[in-house]
């Protein structure tokens, strides 16, 4: 189950074997790109998803000598949304039949559950003190994870440690997710993107969700959030984590609500705590926790155009209202920190009151919650727990920057993680685009990770094509932000592609693009013939009007080219008198005329 | 050949019958939207494209008493890229066969050419003084065209006149294009978008191009540029103009180059002048003129990553180099102004040296040309010719604003008309998105019109689907810019859609969206049943988790709703003591509990 990308090799850097994608170009050079796709794109690796990925971090984790293995919380039918064991068996079998094609008897019962086979030796947790990357960083320890991300980002390991220690960056890396390839989220690193997957009560299967995960990372998702609800929620997550090389995030509240049959008022700290531990033991790397939705904030949403649009936010608001009590997430926040510190699960502090329309952007409900999140950041940091903060939502362009500035100020420069934002409400079906505009801008302003939005947002569940479109669109936004932030090295990719374009190396142009398959097929539509792939023109202008062709002729006339003379060496450049320029240009014009004034090449073949 | 949009009526405002689209909502209200689609979406109008659209402006134009009808320049085979009359007949017949399905003998010869039938009474031109909207505005005259756009934009006619008089806005309205519905391009009006169409030497037919025009305006294109090259260029343009309710722009240099068989060095002022007059007489509303590409600028492009990427720019650069002479467009700029003033054709001063890659953005070649364009603006204004200025191209986000600021400063606040810009080079196949990011931002910063980019950019010619995707994407960018600029009324559209969303009026949500067909089909994919279109939940969360459903319950608990109480009336709002808030919230919690703590509705059907 591996599938390399065209003209690309998986290469591993250093002793830690940091994976990169090397794209081979037709001119003999190559370009090396950041690679999120894991072993799935390495033909040298054989991946069996029933066994899970190799546990590459296990040795690092155990080597630190600060965790213990223990029996763990026993799995219960309710974890998968079942009332008794019998119905669970039944449901799992039918799921597994879908997942495996129904052929392998070894995969139709509990034993096929990787939670009980591959990883089933009991979870790890801290033996005593917190085992978080933040705790290590503060103690001055550079972990293997920090070394890994330093190589991956092309920066120094000490810089990574310093950013993590300051809380400006996080490395989501649960000790029970040893399969992961460490990555870092912070404003001073490459902008990251998250892809949401997850079945719902209405549609989708476990098999589809695991496939969506591998598909999302193939195209560049840096983390994946499993937002499953409904049946088999535990089992779906187990399969995803065991096979994921990227950090997995969840919203534990969704599963907790399943355990109380969807009745928000029946939620309790005990049910929620049980769910947190269940997911910590499975290996979830970060949790969205909507602890900022306080009782006093709920009335602020009443006058809104679109009320509360966050699922987690609305569930907690309903609970607060039903009990007329302060949120149990807020009241137990320190308890949550203690649990997360023992596994190194990071917080993603949920923005339960994010605006769901242009009209509601930057309102008091939203910013009241943000102030609360700022308080919670301090508590998390006091417990050595890594934390990032979620942001909107729907925001018109002129109100975007205020979000970043305020988050930075109120939340001690912790990483910001935003959903879009969508810059208009009028284009359902195209919200990957309405939000890519906002995402690119907010990334430039300093957001560390962008949560993707697919074309199906507001309308339906994303399918495989939607996931790909969402990921590619957000890679564009993230890279545009990297360019605008002047990230060292970001522009090298653009330059390599533009060089290929200018030199009519069509195959290289395709291979360097975010989506080579689409680029190639679009070119084929107008000019399908193979010679067109080496033609010194393209279908937009045809051979007569090719401006790039003419540019080459101009450059040749001046004795230069794309890698030609500096400005000071050409007529009109600095250091020449008016007469010299005049004479030089006349001479060049004569050369150009002598060469036949060629402004185009004849149509090849 | 008309096809109304779903749940929409064409309505006409005022004596001038300004067309608008009225969307009928299921709650009995309606929303009125700006409408570019012309008679094609009015079922009360019967459009016969062989006769062209009604000449609604003819009476206005003739009524001013300052134009004369004359014989006009005789059509020549070379206008259509033919060497002699016989081959032209042959080619036109085969084109017409495609265009009409080949059945109607009346449409297979010259007589089917609307240039010779419908409009063939000889063109109009100024009897003496310039007949431009700028000239009228400066003389204090409010033309019918100005009244029309004032109603269309929802502003005062005197404001329109003042903006036009100051050169801050243009109304492209050739006296020989009486079929057009006037529109205005300027930073203080709605941001406009242009769609490029046009066959090339490689592909496409006249029929396809006319269809692309009507298709582009159906989805919201405010102007259309016909960038055809190759055979039948004159005839294709004639069909497009006669059937277009939006202004048509061209690059006359392309046709001039055809007349000299594609040899740039054979171009001359005489050939170019002849082409200008030909197109002025046909009714083209604005011309891209690359008069800013001066001889001295050419060497500045040699060290670039991607040289010259503008077709017109590269042709003029090649000409300058071949002759070692200053550009004939630059030298004859005043002569060009005199021609344009006689027909009220506006300038779109071409950015022939725009950057074609991130690496080349904001370089000396680009800005040297912009300074020249600033000089040319003053000359155009001195001749009472309306003018806008074209801009890049490929520009990373952090370098976008400088383009707008510099254009505004150097070009006397004339409207800016930009291509994107693309904010990264790495995503061929998705350049509608890479450029929508830049387009939305540059629109916010003050660009008056955005030239669309389709998914096929850099790869091939756009087909019908690509044209639609490009137009919708750019409507998003333009509207996001309108919102960010705080254009009065822009947000009403978002609010109407968000209200429909919050109130689970799915059909209204679809009908109000930029692309109802796509929105509806996406919803159908996950929840195809008709009851789902009135369900109080959707497929993303399923019925149990619907945050909007919960928000309604919360609002109900407070006795409010989307149109509910002001903040001061609800607990937690201003004007209440802590105890009052406490008591109020407890009371509300009890009400909520008494109502069954409903956080979701059961799955309908």
């Amino acid at each position: 189950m591996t599938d390399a990308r065209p003209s690309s090799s998986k290469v591993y850097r250093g002793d830690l074997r940091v994976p990169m994608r090397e794209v081979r170009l037709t001119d003999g050079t190559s370009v090396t790109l950041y690679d999120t796709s894991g072993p799935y794109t390495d033909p040298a690796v054989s991946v069996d998803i029933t066994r899970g990925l190799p546990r590459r971090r296990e040795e690092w984790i155990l080597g630190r000598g600060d965790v213990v293995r223990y029996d763990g919380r026993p799995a219960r039918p309710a974890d998968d949304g079942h009332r008794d064991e019998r119905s669970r068996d039944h449901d799992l079998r039918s799921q597994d039949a879908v997942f495996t094609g129904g052929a392998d008897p070894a995969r139709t019962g509990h034993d096929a559950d990787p939670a009980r086979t591959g990883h089933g030796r009991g979870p790890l947790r801290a033996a005593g003190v917190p085992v978080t990357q933040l705790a290590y960083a503060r103690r001055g320890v550079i972990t293997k994870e920090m070394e890994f991300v330093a190589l991956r980002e092309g920066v120094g390991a000490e810089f990574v440690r310093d950013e993590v220690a300051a809380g400006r960056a996080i490395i989501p890396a649960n000790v029970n997710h040893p399969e992961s390839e460490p990555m870092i989220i912070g404003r001073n690193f490459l902008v990251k993107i998250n892809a949401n997957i997850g079945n719902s009560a209405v549609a989708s299967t476990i098999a589809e969700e695991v496939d969506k995960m591998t598909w999302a990372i193939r195209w560049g998702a840096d983390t994946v959030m499993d937002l499953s609800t409904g049946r088999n929620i535990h089992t779906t997550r187990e399969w995803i984590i065991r096979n994921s090389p990227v950090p997995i995030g969840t919203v534990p509240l969704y599963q907790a609500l399943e355990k109380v049959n969807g009745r928000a008022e029946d939620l309790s700290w005990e049910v929620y705590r049980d769910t947190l531990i269940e997911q910590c033991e499975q290996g979830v790397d970060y949790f969205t926790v909507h602890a900022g939705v306080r009782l006093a904030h709920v009335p602020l949403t009443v006058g809104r155009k679109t009320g509360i649009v966050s699922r987690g936010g609305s569930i907690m608001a309903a609970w607060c209202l039903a009990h007329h009590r302060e949120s149990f997430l807020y009241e137990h926040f320190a308890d949550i920190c203690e649990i997360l510190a023992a596994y190194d699960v990071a917080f993603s502090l949920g923005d339960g009151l994010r605006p769901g329309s242009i009209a509601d952007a930057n309102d008091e409900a939203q910013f009241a919650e943000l102030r609360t999140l700022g308080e919670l950041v301090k508590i998390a940091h006091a417990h050595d727990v890594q934390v990032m903060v979620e942001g909107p939502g729907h925001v018109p362009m002129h109100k975007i920057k205020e979000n970043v500035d305020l988050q930075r100020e109120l939340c001690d420069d912790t990483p910001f993680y935003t959903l879009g934002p969508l810059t208009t409400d009028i284009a359902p079906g195209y919200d990957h685009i309405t939000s890519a505009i906002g995402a690119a801008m907010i990334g430039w302003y300093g957001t560390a990770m962008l949560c993707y939005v697919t074309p199906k947002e507001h309308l339906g569940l994303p399918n495989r094509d939607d996931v790909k479109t969402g990921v590619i669109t957000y890679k564009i936004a993230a890279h545009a932000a990297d360019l605008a932030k002047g990230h060292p090295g970001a522009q090298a990719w653009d330059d390599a592609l533009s060089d290929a374009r200018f030199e009519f190396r069509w195959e290289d142009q395709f291979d360097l693009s975010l989506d080579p398959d689409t680029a190639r097929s679009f070119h084929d539509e107008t000019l399908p013939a193979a010679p067109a792939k080496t033609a010194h023109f393209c279908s937009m202008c045809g051979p007569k009007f090719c401006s790039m062709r003419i540019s080459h002729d101009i450059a040749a006339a001046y004795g230069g080219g794309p890698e030609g003379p500096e400005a000071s060496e050409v007529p009109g450049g600095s250091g020449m008198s008016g007469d010299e320029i005049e004479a030089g240009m006349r001479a060049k014009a004569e050369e150009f005329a002598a060469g036949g004034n060629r402004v185009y090449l004849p149509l090849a073949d």
Side-chain angles (χ1 to χ4, degrees), chain A:
Chain A
M1 198 191 138
T2 56
D3 179 16
R5 294 185 59 165
S7 305
S8 294
S9 308
K10 179 79 83 174
V11 295
Y12 296 93
R13 283 201 180 150
D15 294 342
L16 299 180
R17 293 181 53 76
V18 177
M20 308 292 284
R21 179 158 74 100
E22 193 176 83
V23 185
R24 293 180 303 276
L25 306 182
T26 57
D27 66 357
T29 65
S30 66
V31 174
T32 305
L33 302 175
Y34 193 98
D35 185 1
T36 59
S37 61
Y40 298 98
T41 49
D42 186 349
V45 176
S46 167
V47 178
D48 175 357
I49 61 168
T50 65
R51 299 172 63 92
L53 298 182
R55 294 186 285 276
R56 57 186 302 157
R57 284 177 56 232
E58 190 167 69
E59 193 183 317
W60 308 350
I61 295 162
L62 297 176
R64 289 192 280 259
D66 55 2
V67 290
V68 291
R69 202 177 288 284
Y70 68 110
D71 283 345
R73 172 189 170 283
R76 294 172 196 137
D79 300 347
D80 264 329
H82 303 270
R83 305 295 168 87
D84 60 49
E85 195 63 30
R86 199 164 49 87
S87 73
R88 178 175 188 277
D89 276 351
H90 174 76
D91 273 48
L92 270 186
R93 250 195 302 278
S94 55
Q95 277 289 351
D96 279 338
V98 171
F99 193 60
T100 61
D104 186 350
R107 297 177 191 172
T108 52
H110 275 178
D111 288 342
D113 184 344
R116 288 170 178 74
T117 51
H119 187 59
R121 296 161 302 157
L124 300 172
R125 71 178 171 206
V129 295
V131 293
T132 67
Q133 296 291 322
L134 176 56
Y136 300 132
R138 283 174 164 176
R139 294 204 304 267
V141 175
I142 293 175
T143 61
K144 297 288 188 192
E145 285 84 353
M146 296 173 202
E147 285 182 48
F148 189 97
V149 299
L151 272 166
R152 208 168 183 185
E153 299 267 345
V155 298
E158 176 55 28
F159 177 74
V160 171
R161 190 205 59 75
D162 194 54
E163 290 290 299
V164 172
R168 278 192 298 270
I170 65 171
I171 299 174
N174 186 326
V175 295
N176 291 311
H177 187 199
E179 299 90 348
S180 73
E181 295 169 347
M183 53 78 71
I184 193 162
I185 301 167
R187 70 162 60 221
N188 295 319
F189 300 91
L190 290 166
V191 175
K192 303 305 187 296
I193 67 168
N194 170 70
N196 291 333
I197 60 173
N199 62 351
S200 84
V202 176
S204 123
T205 67
I206 293 178
E208 286 169 0
E209 296 314 312
V210 173
D211 180 64
K212 277 184 200 164
M213 181 272 291
T214 58
W215 186 240
I217 63 176
R218 178 178 179 86
W219 298 109
D222 293 285
T223 77
V224 167
M225 288 195 78
D226 174 16
L227 304 184
S228 293
T229 58
R231 290 288 166 98
N232 301 317
I233 190 170
H234 177 101
T235 306
T236 303
R237 190 169 53 235
E238 186 69 28
W239 283 86
I240 290 171
I241 295 171
R242 295 288 74 78
N243 289 292
S244 175
V246 304
I248 298 296
T250 63
V251 185
L253 193 65
Y254 295 173
Q255 188 181 11
L257 190 64
E258 293 289 343
K259 291 180 181 176
V260 295
N261 300 313
R263 295 180 60 87
E265 68 273 22
D266 290 350
L267 283 167
S268 66
W269 163 241
E270 289 69 28
V271 170
Y272 188 80
R273 179 181 178 279
D274 174 68
T275 307
L276 285 185
I277 291 171
E278 174 187 346
Q279 297 196 15
C280 285
E281 292 180 351
Q282 275 190 304
V284 173
D285 299 287
Y286 64 89
F287 289 150
T288 293
V289 178
H290 296 94
V293 181
R294 297 191 58 179
L295 178 62
H297 298 156
V298 179
L300 299 175
T301 67
V302 172
R304 278 182 155 185
K305 180 73 60 186
T306 46
I308 300 175
V309 295
S310 151
R311 284 189 254 177
S314 64
I315 293 164
M316 289 311 300
W319 187 93
C320 291
L321 200 53
H323 294 275
H324 186 245
R325 275 190 54 184
E326 185 55 89
S327 154
F328 63 84
L329 295 178
Y330 181 79
E331 292 193 331
H332 285 279
F333 194 74
D335 299 322
I336 300 172
C337 290
E338 284 178 18
I339 295 169
L340 271 56
Y343 300 88
D344 199 8
V345 176
F347 274 113
S348 181
L349 293 177
D351 56 336
L353 304 182
R354 67 170 176 267
S357 55
I358 293 297
D360 294 342
N362 295 19
D363 72 354
E364 178 52 21
Q366 182 192 338
F367 287 155
E369 180 184 32
L370 187 58
R371 287 190 291 273
T372 300
L373 298 185
E375 298 167 23
L376 300 178
V377 161
K378 289 174 184 28
I379 298 170
H381 282 172
H383 286 82
D384 279 342
V385 178
Q386 303 190 92
V387 58
M388 60 182 169
V389 172
E390 295 184 10
H394 292 237
V395 186
M397 282 189 286
H398 64 300
K399 293 187 177 179
I400 291 176
K401 190 163 186 296
E402 182 183 9
N403 279 275
V404 183
D405 294 344
L406 208 56
Q407 186 272 343
R408 194 171 179 178
E409 176 194 328
L410 293 173
C411 300
D412 298 345
D413 229 353
T414 44
F416 202 22
Y417 168 30
T418 62
L419 178 69
L422 286 68
T423 54
T424 172
D425 303 337
I426 64 167
Y430 297 81
D431 279 329
H432 59 307
I433 298 175
T434 64
S435 68
I437 295 166
M441 292 175 69
I442 210 165
W444 171 30
Y445 297 148
T447 290
M449 186 157 77
L450 308 170
C451 184
Y452 88 167
V453 173
T454 78
K456 289 281 169 59
E457 183 77 13
H458 298 117
L459 298 169
L461 283 176
N463 61 23
R464 195 175 156 90
D465 286 344
D466 298 319
V467 167
K468 178 177 170 182
T469 300
V471 170
I472 299 273
T473 301
Y474 271 68
K475 285 298 285 184
I476 289 169
H479 185 75
D482 288 335
L483 285 176
K485 288 164 68 176
H487 188 286
Q491 197 181 311
W493 189 354
D494 298 71
D495 288 352
L497 195 141
S498 288
D499 282 342
R501 179 172 284 155
F502 193 60
E503 293 165 16
F504 299 100
R505 288 184 274 114
W506 288 98
E507 294 292 349
D508 291 346
Q509 194 182 151
F510 304 148
D511 289 335
L512 283 167
S513 70
L514 278 178
D515 180 2
D517 305 343
T518 296
R520 191 172 275 109
S521 74
F522 281 2
H523 193 252
D524 282 349
E525 273 183 41
T526 320
L527 284 177
K533 300 292 180 285
T534 53
H536 280 200
F537 64 90
C538 70
S539 55
M540 281 80 76
C541 309
K544 280 197 207 175
F545 285 85
C546 182
S547 58
M548 289 208 176
R549 181 62 246 158
I550 295 173
S551 291
H552 282 279
D553 293 337
I554 291 168
Y558 285 107
E563 304 296 326
E566 297 300 308
S568 61
E569 300 170 14
V570 299
S574 57
M576 295 180 82
S577 72
D579 281 353
E580 282 172 328
I581 293 169
E582 188 68 17
M585 288 187 76
R586 185 171 302 116
K588 291 301 177 186
E590 283 160 13
E591 279 175 38
F592 187 65
N597 292 333
R598 285 186 311 124
V599 295
Y600 61 91
L601 285 185
L603 186 67
D605 291 51

